[in-house]
Amino acid sequence: MNGANFIVQALKQQNITQVFGYPGGAIMPLYDALYDGGLDHLLCRHEQGAAMAAIGYARATGRVGVCIATSGPGATNLITGLADALLDSIPIVAITGQVASNLMGTDAFQEIDVLGLSLACTKHSFLVQSVEQLGPIIEKAFQIATSGRPGPVLIDIPKDIQLADIAESPLFEQLTIEQKLTFPLELSLIRQAKEMIKIASKPLLYVGGGVGMANATQALRNFIQYTYIPSVCTLKGIGAIEHNSEYFMGMVGMHGSKAANLAIQECDLLIAVGARFDDRVTGKLEEFANHAKVLHLDIDAAEIDKLRIADLAITDDLNEVLPALEVETYISAWQKNILTMKQDFAISYNHPGKMIYAPALLHLLSEMKPADTVICSDVGQHQMWVAQHMFVDRPENHISSSGLGTMGFGIPAAVGAQMARPNDTVIVVSGDGSFMMNVQELGTIKRKKLPIKIVLIDNQRLGMVRQWQKLFFDGRYSETILTDNPDFVTLASAFDIPGETIVIKSQIQGALTRLLDSDGAYLLHVSISEEENVWPLVPPGAANDKMMESLQ
Amino acid sequence: MKYLLIIQGENSPELLERLLRVCRHRGFSVQKISGETTENEKSLHITLTVCSDRPVSLLSKQIDKLFGITQVVAISQEQAIRASA
């Protein structure tokens, strides 16, 4: 067998069944091996789409996503996807072809230094220098992608190595030995943490994406059920706690709920669980939870004390830590306070006039969607409305580009999610700006006949930037007006995707029913007013309790 | 503040590049560097003098996370002076 066949066998050995990619010159041997190699390959229509489909696949399942591209432009097109996976800690393995070893460093056709390019946007990257290295490198790549804090790993493979002869399956004895090092919990730390929780009168859980990544959703829910400690979550933490959990206040931060942001500022113990004090969460860092001691639970030691000094930190597996921290609490006054805030600041979906109010539409869609629906979001105002007004009860069911905020993420992520979970409904919520950024992936939906439901919230603007221009740049709408958008329903129809446009409230119910009942893909194009803003908003540089709630 | 970093890693063609990128990106400027490969080029030993307003733990923890780094020790300049006095 040659190197390329070997790669296919090695991927299968890693329990990979599905890959996403795009062929080209330097990766042709691998594509030849994929032709009848027994792996399912989905052709995306841009390498960025392939990377984001791999992310969607990984996020919808918790497994590793794999994407493949050729050298040069194929590899550079992957970069944004790798960066997205890095900032959201998503385990993907990217395989790129490279020009033949003897041509490397000569500025050969489609040659670029991919290893150099990857340093800032992967957890780790490899350049394979001999065919014998292929086995150990692929093994290590999967191990690195999934261990500790997960992340993207790139393997760059020169064409001559893909073509070189290799003895059949030499690597498999050393493969799949689970190298899970478990250290016993440090009991003194656990004791101190329990004491902190016990004496706190206003403890608050601040829950991030790490809970889902650690498969610790159940451990967290058990902890909450035992302690009844109130909670908030980050954008990536959505789904970790059931949306109707009694003392759960939803998302915290720049567009967080009022109750969540006020509770953060009031709490006396902040228990950060798989969260990293991102600037979009903290607002003005010096004033974030400034009455609180911090107990930080995260697998990544580099996150401890990075932005907020923790009074106590534990970097072990949440599945071991959380059960060990279960302790009785006496916080009824605080709980009452939380319930009062939840009631006083409950979201109202009353909206005057005939024009469609996107938050109300998304809330209704959330109520109508089948159980275990995956919601993929693009980036912008609609992304925040999804986070605020739709609800899911599994982190795998809310897929949103959180750390990098990558416009164009939604459609390819939905492609990956639908491939991973063919029996579940997958909904993409996109905006007119984001939709156009990876619109070519409608071709992928057509190719595989994926029944993805697309809700396109169209305000003919780059809405989030427009909102900031309105609020902070004197209404100077520099390059955010998109009144020259294409006819989206016609555009979708070119890919055999039926659809409709709605503009007034009375059309919503019927349109959502048709969307959800459609057998195949469907585009629901929703026209809304460009004047709509995302509220509340913590202005840049302000503390979280200084929320703006309207234009006044 | 100035810090001395003593770093040991499994040698690979890009390890030095990887290391220096992390230093720059995390807000540390390199003032002095020396390094050599040992054991038939299997491992790489590097000492760096870096300068930053940020606490050195921000950098040393990031370096520690790099795949292939086997050891990193950070010493503040004051500690280094005391030790040599």
Side-chain angles (χ1 to χ4, degrees):
Chain A
M1 79 166 46
N2 67 16
N5 299 124
F6 183 92
I7 295 165
V8 171
Q9 295 311 314
L11 290 175
K12 285 158 87 173
Q13 189 73 21
Q14 294 291 335
N15 294 321
I16 297 301
T17 54
Q18 177 70 53
V19 298
F20 303 88
Y22 203 105
I27 197 74
M28 282 184 70
L30 180 56
Y31 271 83
D32 189 62
L34 284 168
Y35 188 67
D36 52 4
L39 278 181
D40 284 329
H41 176 279
L42 179 57
L43 179 74
C44 298
R45 302 311 296 268
H46 188 288
E47 290 85 352
Q48 185 181 115
M52 290 175 184
I55 293 171
Y57 184 91
R59 292 185 68 161
T61 55
R63 291 159 59 191
V64 181
V66 176
C67 57
I68 301 172
T70 192
S71 65
T76 57
N77 280 345
L78 282 183
I79 294 290
T80 305
L82 295 172
D84 191 275
L86 182 70
L87 286 204
D88 280 346
S89 312
I90 309 302
I92 65 170
V93 170
I95 295 173
T96 49
Q98 181 55 276
V99 301
S101 306
N102 64 324
L103 288 174
M104 286 176 68
T106 68
D107 306 313
F109 177 64
Q110 293 193 327
E111 187 202 354
I112 199 79
D113 173 20
V114 174
L115 184 69
L117 265 174
S118 71
L119 297 181
C121 60
T122 56
K123 185 175 174 187
H124 193 68
S125 42
F126 294 96
L127 170 62
V128 182
Q129 289 174 307
S130 73
V131 74
E132 290 74 30
Q133 287 183 341
L134 266 178
I137 283 180
I138 291 171
E139 168 77 359
K140 272 184 205 159
F142 278 85
Q143 207 175 74
I144 293 170
T146 51
S147 61
R149 178 178 179 172
V153 178
L154 179 129
I155 312 174
D156 197 32
I157 311 176
K159 193 172 183 178
D160 54 311
I161 290 174
Q162 298 171 47
L163 290 169
D165 284 332
I166 183 166
E168 264 178 70
S169 54
L171 75 167
F172 297 147
E173 299 94 74
Q174 68 185 57
L175 266 176
T176 60
I177 301 162
E178 190 80 0
Q179 282 204 344
K180 200 182 170 199
L181 299 171
T182 46
F183 301 101
L185 292 176
E186 218 172 295
L187 289 178
S188 69
L189 283 181
I190 295 292
R191 212 166 31 237
Q192 285 177 63
K194 281 172 90 164
E195 192 58 28
M196 282 171 84
I197 296 169
K198 211 157 79 182
I199 62 170
S201 52
K202 299 175 183 175
L204 184 67
L205 284 159
Y206 149 47
V207 171
V211 172
M213 307 296 307
N215 274 324
T217 305
Q218 197 52 51
L220 176 72
R221 291 177 184 186
N222 293 345
F223 178 80
I224 290 173
Q225 207 152 46
Y226 194 94
T227 61
Y228 292 98
I229 294 178
S231 54
V232 301
C233 72
T234 68
L235 181 59
K236 230 193 122 208
I238 288 174
I241 300 170
E242 297 105 317
H243 73 282
N244 55 5
S245 178
E246 192 174 6
Y247 302 110
F248 174 56
M249 288 164 280
M251 189 170 71
V252 66
M254 182 171 274
H255 293 297
S257 76
K258 190 170 179 180
N261 279 337
L262 293 180
I264 280 268
Q265 295 308 87
E266 219 179 299
C267 69
D268 66 356
L269 174 66
L270 188 67
I271 310 171
V273 192
R276 59 184 177 88
F277 296 87
D278 178 81
D279 57 280
R280 285 298 194 265
V281 161
T282 63
K284 188 176 185 183
L285 185 62
E286 302 76 52
E287 290 180 31
F288 178 72
N290 52 359
H291 304 302
K293 291 198 164 188
V294 170
L295 171 58
H296 197 169
L297 314 178
D298 200 290
I299 195 80
D300 183 0
E303 289 301 338
I304 309 302
D305 299 340
K306 186 180 83 175
L307 288 157
R308 171 70 180 256
I309 303 291
D311 295 273
L312 190 72
I314 304 176
T315 54
D316 295 290
D317 185 346
L318 290 176
N319 278 312
E320 293 172 41
V321 177
L322 287 169
L325 292 184
E326 286 177 3
V327 61
E328 267 181 65
T329 58
Y330 305 94
I331 52 173
S332 52
W334 173 236
Q335 288 164 335
K336 228 167 98 185
N337 184 353
I338 298 295
L339 292 181
T340 309
M341 284 204 290
K342 275 184 76 168
Q343 197 168 19
D344 290 352
F345 308 132
I347 296 165
S348 163
Y349 291 102
N350 288 329
H351 181 263
K354 283 186 172 174
M355 290 288 285
I356 291 170
Y357 182 48
L361 178 143
L362 292 172
H363 189 68
L364 179 62
L365 173 61
S366 199
E367 286 174 338
M368 289 170 68
K369 71 185 187 314
D372 232 1
T373 292
V374 181
I375 301 164
C376 296
S377 169
D378 243 306
V379 169
Q381 287 182 311
H382 64 276
Q383 177 188 30
M384 292 297 106
W385 286 326
V386 167
Q388 293 172 330
H389 306 291
M390 296 188 81
F391 44 84
V392 299
D393 286 331
R394 276 177 69 189
E396 295 86 357
N397 288 354
H398 178 255
I399 302 181
S400 191
S401 172
S402 308
L404 196 65
T406 315
M407 288 176 68
F409 176 81
I411 297 174
V415 166
Q418 187 77 78
M419 290 301 291
R421 288 165 56 181
N423 299 321
D424 288 327
T425 301
V426 176
I427 299 173
V428 196
V429 180
S430 188
D432 51 313
S434 289
F435 185 77
M436 291 296 285
M437 274 216 192
N438 269 321
V439 72
Q440 79 286 341
E441 296 309 319
L442 295 182
T444 313
I445 292 176
K446 178 183 178 188
R447 184 181 185 84
K448 201 67 190 175
K449 297 190 174 61
L450 298 172
I452 293 170
K453 318 297 179 212
I454 307 169
V455 177
L456 173 49
I457 310 284
D458 180 6
N459 59 1
Q460 302 192 23
R461 296 293 184 279
L462 296 176
M464 188 58 97
V465 181
R466 190 213 72 92
Q467 177 171 347
W468 279 52
Q469 287 171 335
K470 170 89 179 169
L471 295 173
F472 310 120
F473 289 86
D474 299 325
R476 288 155 55 86
Y477 298 119
S478 180
E479 300 295 335
T480 53
I481 298 174
L482 302 179
T483 46
D484 51 358
N485 271 330
D487 177 336
F488 290 113
V489 173
T490 302
L491 179 62
S493 73
F495 294 93
D496 293 345
I497 299 172
E500 65 181 299
T501 297
I502 58 173
V503 290
I504 56 172
K505 289 191 174 91
S506 59
Q507 297 173 301
I508 291 175
Q509 183 82 41
L512 289 181
T513 305
R514 284 187 291 279
L515 173 83
L516 292 172
D517 287 351
S518 66
D519 288 332
Y522 198 85
L523 174 73
L524 177 58
H525 173 234
V526 183
S527 275
I528 64 162
S529 162
E530 73 274 15
E531 300 290 337
E532 293 292 351
N533 295 307
V534 180
W535 305 119
L537 179 149
V538 178
N544 274 357
D545 51 0
K546 310 276 189 306
M547 282 164 280
M548 300 172 71
E549 293 174 80
S550 70
L551 285 177
Q552 271 71 50
Chain B
M1 279 287 279
K2 263 192 196 185
Y3 307 98
L4 182 69
L5 291 168
I6 302 162
I7 299 159
Q8 197 106 26
E10 294 163 25
N11 191 27
S12 67
E14 82 291 357
L15 184 64
L16 189 58
E17 203 177 337
R18 211 180 273 285
L19 192 63
L20 292 175
R21 191 204 72 78
V22 170
C23 292
R24 172 185 54 74
H25 174 59
R26 298 291 171 179
F28 291 77
S29 64
V30 176
Q31 297 189 324
K32 193 174 162 192
I33 177 167
S34 67
E36 59 185 341
T37 58
T38 54
E39 297 170 43
N40 307 325
E41 306 209 343
K42 272 194 178 146
S43 71
L44 183 62
H45 180 90
I46 298 162
T47 55
L48 288 174
T49 306
V50 296
C51 177
S52 179
D53 296 335
R54 299 181 176 184
V56 73
S57 63
L58 289 186
L59 178 61
S60 59
K61 286 185 200 170
Q62 293 294 343
I63 293 175
D64 199 39
K65 275 209 302 190
L66 292 177
F67 181 78
I69 295 289
T70 47
Q71 199 183 24
V72 50
V73 179
I75 307 168
S76 78
Q77 195 187 36
E78 282 169 36
Q79 283 174 312
I81 291 168
R82 264 206 306 277
S84 62

